Amino acid sequence: MEIKLIKSKNSKISNVDYDNLGFCKYYTDHMFICDYIDGSWQNFIIQPFQDLSLSPACTTLHYGQTIFEGLKAYRNQEGEILIFRPDKNAERFNKSAERMCMPKIPEDIFIKSIEELLSVEKAWVPEGEKNSLYIRPISFALDPYIGIKPADNYKFMIICGMAGGYYSEPVNVKIETHYTRAVSGGVGFSKTAANYAAALYPAVEAQKEGYHQLIWTDGKSHEFVEESGTMNLFFVINNQLVTPPLGDTVLDGVTRDSIIHLSKLLNIDVDVRKVSVKEVISSLESGSMSEAFGAGTAATIAPIKSIGYNNKKYNLPEISEKSISNTLLNKLSNIKFGRELTELNWLKKISK
Ligand code: COI
């Protein structure tokens, strides 16, 4: 696989306010782009970050045949650049592609294009424990076609943006029992635009009531909690860490998977099982829920401050140093920044 490099003449990096990175407020100087034409991926180019030109009849704009990923690269104390679990994102990207009738990207192309782009953009990976470079691979249909069928032509691209924290404070979430994010047999497990677009209206309604996010419940009975749209969910109930199972309605989060794995290494009692709304509320009422948090690439581990249900707000205790979420966050950070060597093989170092 040959990647053509067209370097940008002027870097934008001097505009970065490192004290105010925000989340993807600053895109890097370059992007990766390639085409799917006649049944194969071709024309691999790293070029200056720029706008695209699309036909107004492009099927993505009308019918939403598009998928994406999110992963992060970190700068360790030696200044080396480490990408966290890109193979898991490649795997999930291809699961999404299959469900959306889109061409898969071979894992070696997915990872090599990220590595090559990052070796050009190394300077953009910020220092700091809370900072990273967010990497956003995306694929979308290109055909100028009005009508319903899978497209023949696609683009695969990677853009990157500097990332500080996604949530600046512990979050208030509302249990949603009217609107539905996903149903069995649908596309809930797929990282596709439709899931996020459909969630906007209910999320905006909840934001008017002071919530940051929703806790989605199953689309059939609304009795079981599933995920939060930007994050998977974890609860500590009677000192046990519990998280809902995946199925086809929940996104298979890389952070979720890492947390389950690390909990086992740390001898934290962890259970993947159905969690009912009833259990969430009764454990909040009795005080047996000591922690709740979301887990996602953008959000990392985001403590939940309060949970709303039926016009009532239930507050959670403040997170202490010794809390399970803090213990997991520290462990995860140590691994991501390469401070703790493990046999997990979760890091890909940019060698060039
Ligand atoms: C991610 O965590 O990577 C996502 O795509 C979620 C989005 C809120 C940025």
Side-chain angles (χ1 to χ4, degrees):
M1 171 196 181
E2 276 290 308
I3 303 180
K4 184 173 163 191
L5 173 62
I6 305 170
K7 282 212 89 170
S8 121
K9 293 209 172 66
N10 299 305
S11 175
K12 301 169 291 189
I13 203 160
S14 59
N15 299 333
V16 173
D17 172 1
Y18 283 89
D19 294 328
N20 266 307
L21 282 186
F23 189 83
C24 289
K25 195 163 91 180
Y26 300 106
Y27 294 109
T28 63
D29 289 326
H30 299 89
M31 63 190 197
F32 173 89
I33 186 160
C34 65
D35 300 305
Y36 187 81
I37 305 170
D38 294 335
S40 75
W41 290 105
Q42 48 195 281
N43 306 331
F44 306 105
I45 308 177
I46 291 174
Q47 63 184 42
F49 187 100
Q50 60 195 266
D51 291 347
L52 300 172
S53 165
L54 295 175
S55 162
C58 168
T59 51
T60 297
L61 302 178
H62 301 256
Y63 309 115
Q65 213 190 353
T66 175
I67 56 171
F68 65 97
E69 269 305 321
L71 62 161
K72 280 178 174 171
Y74 300 87
R75 181 181 292 278
N76 71 9
Q77 274 175 340
E78 289 70 45
E80 296 164 321
I81 309 303
L82 308 166
I83 312 173
F84 188 68
R85 304 191 77 181
D87 52 327
K88 282 293 283 179
N89 294 87
E91 188 188 317
R92 189 172 64 184
F93 194 78
N94 284 331
K95 278 190 191 151
S96 301
E98 184 172 14
R99 180 63 179 84
M100 302 310 289
C101 284
M102 295 173 68
K104 293 183 181 177
I105 303 264
E107 182 179 314
D108 57 335
I109 296 187
F110 186 92
I111 294 180
K112 184 155 194 260
S113 30
I114 294 175
E115 284 181 314
E116 292 289 318
L117 180 60
L118 260 69
S119 70
V120 176
E121 303 292 55
K122 264 184 178 170
W124 285 87
V125 183
E127 288 176 353
E129 186 75 18
K130 295 219 164 105
N131 300 336
S132 59
L133 189 71
Y134 185 76
I135 305 162
R136 169 52 62 89
I138 175 170
S139 183
F140 53 93
L142 261 196
D143 295 9
Y145 179 77
I146 304 288
I148 307 297
K149 71 171 181 71
D152 294 322
N153 300 288
Y154 296 84
K155 286 237 181 255
F156 171 62
M157 303 185 58
I158 305 168
I159 57 171
C160 303
M162 282 180 163
Y166 187 76
Y167 292 114
S168 53
E169 50 177 0
V171 292
N172 301 313
V173 292
K174 178 188 164 187
I175 298 180
E176 178 60 65
T177 52
H178 173 66
Y179 297 106
T180 298
R181 176 186 174 275
V183 285
S184 183
V187 297
F189 69 94
S190 174
K191 208 158 171 67
T192 188
N195 285 322
Y196 297 83
L200 289 175
Y201 182 81
V204 168
E205 289 297 295
Q207 278 155 16
K208 285 183 199 155
E209 296 172 52
Y211 295 102
H212 296 92
Q213 260 306 331
L214 296 170
I215 288 186
W216 292 104
T217 52
D218 70 278
K220 202 169 174 194
S221 67
H222 293 293
E223 281 176 23
F224 295 93
V225 302
E226 295 209 317
E227 59 149 274
S228 172
T230 52
M231 318 179 279
N232 293 108
L233 292 167
F234 286 84
F235 305 96
V236 179
I237 303 174
N238 291 321
N239 296 320
Q240 184 184 51
L241 185 62
V242 292
T243 189
L246 294 175
D248 63 356
T249 54
V250 174
L251 193 81
D252 182 359
V254 178
T255 310
R256 174 187 181 278
D257 180 80
S258 307
I259 286 174
I260 294 172
H261 204 94
L262 295 180
S263 296
K264 290 175 186 161
L265 287 184
L266 290 165
N267 289 325
I268 293 170
D269 183 10
V270 58
D271 199 8
V272 178
R273 62 163 172 83
K274 285 182 134 194
V275 182
S276 68
V277 175
K278 226 170 165 179
E279 181 183 9
V280 169
I281 300 305
S282 65
S283 57
L284 282 163
E285 278 174 340
S286 70
S288 58
M289 185 186 293
S290 49
E291 297 175 50
F293 60 92
T297 297
T300 58
I301 291 181
I304 293 175
K305 190 162 69 179
S306 75
I307 298 180
Y309 178 64
N310 269 354
N311 299 319
K312 230 179 135 183
K313 208 170 191 177
Y314 300 85
N315 291 319
L316 278 130
E318 242 175 65
I319 298 290
S320 75
E321 262 303 298
K322 290 209 173 114
S323 64
I324 290 183
S325 50
N326 230 9
T327 307
L328 285 164
L329 182 61
N330 289 336
K331 180 85 176 171
L332 196 56
S333 296
N334 284 342
I335 293 175
K336 283 175 172 176
F337 283 89
R339 289 190 295 261
E340 199 171 308
L341 297 178
T342 66
E343 287 167 6
L344 295 169
N345 212 10
W346 281 355
L347 297 176
K348 188 130 205 113
K349 195 188 290 182
I350 299 294
S351 48
K352 279 197 272 181

